[in-house]
Amino acid sequence: MLQMNLNRAYEYFFDTLKSRINQIFPLKKCNLKKGLKRMWITSGIKKSSKHKRDLYQKMLDGLVSQEFYKKYSNILKQVVRQSKKNAEMTFIANSENKTKATWTLINKTTKNERDKDKSLFEVFPEKSEEDLLNEMNAFFLKSAPRPDMSNKTDTETVRPLDSSIFLGPVLEEEMLGYIRLLKNKKTVGYDEIPVDLLKTCASILVKPLTHIINRILQVGEYPQALKQALVKPIHKKGNKNIYDNYRPISILSNINKIFERIIFDKVLHFFEMNNILVKQQCGFRQGKSTINAMYQALNSIIKSLNKNQVTAALCLDLTKAFDSVNHNILLEKMEKYGIRGVALDLFRSYLTRRTQRTTERGRNGKQGKK
């Protein structure tokens, strides 16, 4: 009954918010120019290009010399080259993720742009859009098995923690802070609610969002609507006609990201207070990063070399590492580390009955259970 009330509460909130959005921001068709394609074309280049075409005709008519036309063309080429360079630098400078922006430019330069821009429906013209997306969705679901690792787990060696976590309520002031922490990305989940709208309307949305998250923490159940993911297939290697050469990128609701961050901070604080995390754990911890991990590895290597010891490094790259995590083992270890009662029920609810649907350029495929 409590779960039903929680689901209804979120659905009522979402339906109300969505109806207001549709009233204030009705959908309209518009043509969007992609990224860098036209950024470098200035009004001066347009005029110069037109003048170049006029000069070409005049050269054919004998009104200007071929030498003059070539000289003008070479100067225009230099201007265009510099304009493209400036556009690329501006594109990187204005991007939040500068590494991604840099790779976008590299891929644009080194790959066949026409082939790269092909949609899935152009790669698989023999399939209908609905059949293609449903097939890919089914393939992604089956290609991420969670193997039985029960005979290899070390849960029996984990010493149970005496204390248990308490997921205390969230204040409205805290919720406002979490909303402001959202990264300014344009991606949206199934609900199509963007980050900038959440931030702009934060003072209005903070009260219902705080109420819902506190109900989640109190009941230990996660709303089913927030367990939906949009999956976008990104081509990574080889033949584009092979499904296995695509990486599924899951896009979650931005509201879900707020709730995830709140729960994450509560669990991390509990782990830090009880010294559960080893000092070598650098990822997902405040004040630590990959630089710390590199420093620890480098420091260990230097110490070994100074002692004339043989030094070797073993690097592992697990395929679909997160998809291979056994959820039963994960929950068992969490319980031993103090995630018990309502908190454990919440994580069990979060990990189960999840759904996903594959999309391509805004078009959705049939929903499939995960």
Side-chain angles (χ1 to χ4, degrees):
M1 186 64 180
L2 288 173
Q3 168 64 2
M4 185 181 298
N5 291 337
L6 181 57
N7 278 329
R8 286 179 178 174
Y10 185 79
E11 288 171 3
Y12 176 77
F13 162 77
F14 174 71
D15 291 342
T16 303
L17 176 61
K18 197 66 177 178
S19 65
R20 296 295 184 271
I21 292 174
N22 292 336
Q23 289 176 2
I24 301 172
F25 308 107
L27 292 176
K28 292 184 178 179
K29 288 185 178 181
C30 59
N31 294 322
L32 297 177
K33 294 180 179 179
K34 293 182 65 178
L36 288 163
K37 276 192 173 181
R38 300 290 177 182
M39 284 178 60
W40 58 271
I41 301 181
T42 64
S43 59
I45 290 177
K46 288 181 180 179
K47 292 179 181 178
S48 299
S49 298
K50 183 179 182 302
H51 185 56
K52 176 188 170 183
R53 292 192 294 271
D54 293 340
L55 285 177
Y56 179 76
Q57 186 60 47
K58 290 181 178 180
M59 181 190 70
L60 295 178
D61 295 339
L63 299 176
V64 296
S65 65
Q66 185 177 8
E67 182 182 356
F68 180 82
Y69 171 76
K70 285 185 176 181
K71 186 176 181 180
Y72 186 89
S73 297
N74 290 333
I75 294 174
L76 180 58
K77 283 181 182 179
Q78 294 176 13
V79 172
V80 168
R81 190 180 297 115
Q82 185 62 44
S83 182
K84 287 182 177 180
K85 183 178 179 181
N86 293 340
E88 291 172 353
M89 297 299 293
T90 302
F91 176 72
I92 294 175
N94 293 338
S95 300
E96 287 190 8
N97 190 333
K98 291 180 170 43
T99 301
K100 183 178 179 180
T102 302
W103 276 109
T104 298
L105 294 175
I106 293 173
N107 290 332
K108 181 177 181 294
T109 304
T110 59
K111 292 184 179 180
N112 186 319
E113 197 171 344
R114 288 187 62 186
D115 181 63
K116 182 176 179 293
D117 286 343
K118 276 187 178 181
S119 72
L120 282 174
F121 310 124
E122 293 174 312
V123 176
F124 299 92
E126 72 283 0
K127 298 180 184 292
S128 68
E129 293 184 9
E130 183 178 0
D131 289 343
L132 173 60
L133 294 176
N134 289 340
E135 282 184 20
M136 295 198 80
N137 193 66
F139 175 81
F140 291 143
L141 291 173
K142 292 179 180 178
S143 64
R146 296 189 175 92
D148 183 8
M149 301 168 60
S150 56
N151 295 327
K152 303 176 183 179
T153 180
D154 60 348
T155 53
E156 295 180 358
T157 64
V158 176
R159 183 177 63 84
L161 193 69
D162 293 332
S163 57
S164 299
I165 192 172
F166 171 67
L167 300 177
V170 178
L171 301 176
E172 291 185 8
E173 293 77 8
E174 293 177 299
M175 178 60 71
L176 278 173
Y178 280 107
I179 294 175
R180 295 191 182 104
L181 281 175
L182 285 171
K183 294 182 179 179
N184 296 318
K185 293 185 176 181
K186 302 299 181 182
T187 53
V188 294
Y190 81 97
D191 54 13
E192 299 181 338
I193 298 177
V195 169
D196 52 358
L197 186 142
L198 290 174
K199 288 188 174 183
T200 302
C201 304
S203 59
I204 301 173
L205 299 176
V206 63
K207 196 174 191 68
L209 287 178
T210 304
H211 172 75
I212 293 171
I213 186 61
N214 285 334
R215 288 289 293 160
I216 291 173
L217 300 175
Q218 178 187 11
V219 175
E221 294 283 352
Y222 208 73
Q224 191 62 36
L226 291 176
K227 293 192 282 185
Q228 301 180 44
L230 293 183
V231 175
K232 290 196 173 183
I234 305 297
H235 179 254
K236 288 298 178 182
K237 60 180 181 179
N239 191 339
K240 285 192 172 185
N241 295 89
I242 300 176
Y243 291 168
D244 200 35
N245 290 336
Y246 289 83
R247 177 182 295 176
I249 305 298
S250 294
I251 303 174
L252 300 174
S253 160
N254 287 311
I255 293 177
N256 170 76
K257 293 177 183 177
I258 299 173
F259 292 170
E260 281 185 350
R261 185 56 191 250
I262 291 172
I263 298 170
F264 166 80
D265 282 351
K266 289 181 177 294
V267 173
L268 181 61
H269 176 72
F270 176 77
F271 281 177
E272 296 277 11
M273 292 292 293
N274 289 277
N275 297 318
I276 293 175
L277 302 177
V278 297
K279 64 178 183 179
Q280 290 83 5
Q281 172 65 39
C282 297
F284 308 103
R285 298 180 72 179
Q286 188 174 6
K288 292 191 175 184
S289 67
T290 53
I291 296 177
N292 299 91
M294 292 174 62
Y295 172 78
Q296 291 174 10
L298 184 61
N299 189 46
S300 177
I301 292 171
I302 292 174
K303 285 183 178 180
S304 296
L305 292 175
N306 289 337
K307 295 178 181 179
N308 294 323
Q309 296 176 340
V310 176
T311 305
L314 177 63
C315 302
L316 300 177
D317 184 9
L318 301 178
T319 301
K320 300 177 181 176
F322 285 98
D323 292 328
S324 300
V325 173
N326 186 302
H327 288 172
N328 292 328
I329 296 174
L330 175 63
L331 292 170
E332 184 180 344
K333 294 189 74 171
M334 292 178 71
E335 185 175 19
K336 291 194 174 186
Y337 284 126
I339 311 296
R340 305 185 181 101
V342 174
L344 188 64
D345 291 340
L346 175 57
F347 280 98
R348 184 179 289 108
S349 171
Y350 179 84
L351 293 171
T352 55
R353 297 181 61 201
R354 301 191 68 86
T355 59
Q356 69 176 52
R357 60 186 179 188
T358 299
T359 71
E360 206 278 343
R361 295 192 179 182
R363 286 174 267 197
N364 296 344
K366 187 177 180 181
Q367 182 170 311
K369 289 189 176 180
K370 199 172 183 180

